[in-house]
Amino acid sequence: MERIFAKKTLREFCSKHPDSEQYLKTWFDTTMNTTWETPNDVKQTYANASILKDNRLVFNIKGNSYRLVTKFNFEKQWVFIRFIGTHSEYDKINANTI
């Protein structure tokens, strides 16, 4: 993966939720150093990731305490952060459209 867009969103989230920082750093480093070509490739690395429509994936962070919604452009190897929040905050959004 070459680019992750909205890294600032992750940094700000970590400052509010310090217990998520190491988990998000691991996700970030893994994502930056892995080439995934399909959502199923991501599932090989993150078995608990949920595949949604339009190349969106939801990652469970810190044992599902937090949810990270992303949109992948596999051709360009870009990841867009669409949402990061607590499980209860996630329940209030539509991950397919956010």
Side-chain angles (χ1 to χ4, degrees):
M1 213 41 70
E2 287 186 23
R3 302 273 319 242
I4 296 177
F5 292 91
K7 289 178 270 198
K8 179 181 177 188
T9 302
L10 297 180
R11 283 193 302 272
E12 289 173 352
F13 187 81
C14 288
S15 71
K16 292 178 187 170
H17 302 275
D19 61 329
S20 70
E21 185 172 5
Q22 191 55 52
Y23 297 91
L24 287 169
K25 281 184 178 178
T26 299
W27 175 86
F28 183 89
D29 291 343
T30 300
T31 301
M32 287 296 292
N33 293 302
T34 306
T35 301
W36 292 311
E37 295 180 8
T38 69
N40 287 329
D41 290 346
V42 178
K43 291 280 284 182
Q44 295 296 314
T45 305
Y46 288 102
N48 291 327
S50 299
I51 300 172
L52 306 179
K53 66 181 182 179
D54 197 27
N55 288 328
R56 289 175 183 260
L57 285 103
V58 180
F59 296 89
N60 299 323
I61 304 297
K62 193 185 174 237
N64 209 17
S65 294
Y66 305 108
R67 293 279 181 93
L68 174 64
V69 179
T70 60
K71 181 176 169 90
F72 279 73
N73 180 322
F74 291 101
E75 183 180 329
K76 293 184 179 179
Q77 292 292 292
W78 291 349
V79 180
F80 298 89
I81 306 297
R82 304 301 299 150
F83 170 86
I84 177 79
T86 65
H87 196 112
S88 61
E89 290 168 337
Y90 172 83
D91 289 341
K92 296 175 185 172
I93 63 149
N94 182 340
N96 285 303
T97 59
I98 196 166

